[in-house]
Amino acid sequence: MNRREIILCDPAATTRLGFLLAGALRTGDVIALSGALGAGKSVLARGIVLALCPDEADIPSPTFTLVQTYEPADGPSLMHFDLYRLESAEEALDLGIEDAFVEAVSLIEWPERLGPWLPRGALRISLAPDDSSPEMRVATLEGGPRWHPVMDQASSLFTE
Ligand SMILES: Nc1ncnc2c1ncn2[C@@H]1O[C@H](COP(=O)(O)OP(=O)(O)O)[C@@H](O)[C@H]1O
Ligand SMILES: [Mg+2]
């Protein structure tokens, strides 16, 4: 398990990280996005969705629906989960999250809500504000070998 810290100096940088990650995604990948409300999880998820579905005019945050599905022109389906309002980890199974883990690419806000159901192979990204600027976020990326190449790319593109 590797761990990298990078600086995202503004929302555009967070979107660029989304584009970088999007280029590396394949079926069965899971990206867990942690951080407080307003940390930038949805900005990052939107960057990934936009990179894979450039014609998508509207990328809503699945706050109430809990999940939003996208069908990129090529590549696997993309499922964006926002589990903030999840009542129990079991409820996530009703959303088809287990199928998503196998057949799709999953982006998960509030992955802590899944408890033990979060796949061990997920790339974990946690976003935190920084005192130096209201536009700045520190992103901590943690993942196994499958994620090391893209983590290396991220740390060469963004300041550590
Ligand atoms: N570096 C940054 N990365 C992402 N969002 C940022 C950044 N700086 C400021 N913001 C702002 O913070 C807010 C993040 O909102 P959002 O992505 O919905 O948060 P979350 O999904 O984590 O609750 C947005 O209003 C965005 O413009
Ligand atoms: Mg959000």
Side-chain angles (χ1 to χ4, degrees), residues 42-57:
S42 293
V43 170
L44 182 52
R46 234 173 249 131
I48 295 172
V49 174
L50 197 62
L52 296 172
C53 307
D55 295 333
E56 205 63 57

Side-chain angles (χ1 to χ4, degrees), residues 69-124:
T69 304
Y70 300 91
E71 301 294 347
D74 46 32
S77 309
L78 186 58
M79 297 184 78
H80 177 197
F81 296 91
D82 181 340
L83 303 181
Y84 186 67
R85 288 166 197 278
L86 199 72
E87 305 274 348
S88 67
E90 287 69 29
E91 193 191 342
L93 305 183
D94 299 335
L95 297 173
I97 206 162
E98 281 182 306
D99 292 336
F101 291 158
V102 179
E103 295 162 5
V105 166
S106 307
L107 312 177
I108 309 178
E109 295 185 49
W110 300 97
E112 302 77 13
R113 300 280 196 272
L114 281 179
W117 297 103
L118 182 70
R120 295 166 62 88
L123 172 65
R124 293 164 186 259

Side-chain angles (χ1 to χ4, degrees), residues 2-151:
N2 262 8
R3 183 188 168 98
R4 291 293 174 86
E5 251 184 32
I6 58 174
I7 302 294
L8 302 168
C9 59
D10 57 20
T14 304
T15 300
R16 281 202 301 280
L17 175 62
F19 270 66
L20 174 75
L21 295 170
L25 292 174
R26 50 185 196 232
T27 306
D29 281 342
V30 178
I31 299 189
L33 300 166
S34 300
L37 275 176
K41 303 181 294 297
S42 293
V43 170
L44 182 52
R46 234 173 249 131
I48 295 172
V49 174
L50 197 62
L52 296 172
C53 307
D55 295 333
E56 205 63 57
D58 179 38
I59 306 175
S61 185
T63 310
F64 295 100
T65 53
L66 302 184
V67 60
Q68 193 74 35
T69 304
Y70 300 91
E71 301 294 347
D74 46 32
S77 309
L78 186 58
M79 297 184 78
H80 177 197
F81 296 91
D82 181 340
L83 303 181
Y84 186 67
R85 288 166 197 278
L86 199 72
E87 305 274 348
S88 67
E90 287 69 29
E91 193 191 342
L93 305 183
D94 299 335
L95 297 173
I97 206 162
E98 281 182 306
D99 292 336
F101 291 158
V102 179
E103 295 162 5
V105 166
S106 307
L107 312 177
I108 309 178
E109 295 185 49
W110 300 97
E112 302 77 13
R113 300 280 196 272
L114 281 179
W117 297 103
L118 182 70
R120 295 166 62 88
L123 172 65
R124 293 164 186 259
I125 302 180
S126 90
L127 296 167
D130 191 88
D131 289 340
S132 51
S133 150
E135 295 261 270
M136 189 160 142
R137 301 291 187 268
V138 179
T140 306
L141 283 66
E142 281 183 277
R146 188 260 169 274
W147 298 106
H148 294 173
V150 76
M151 289 168 71

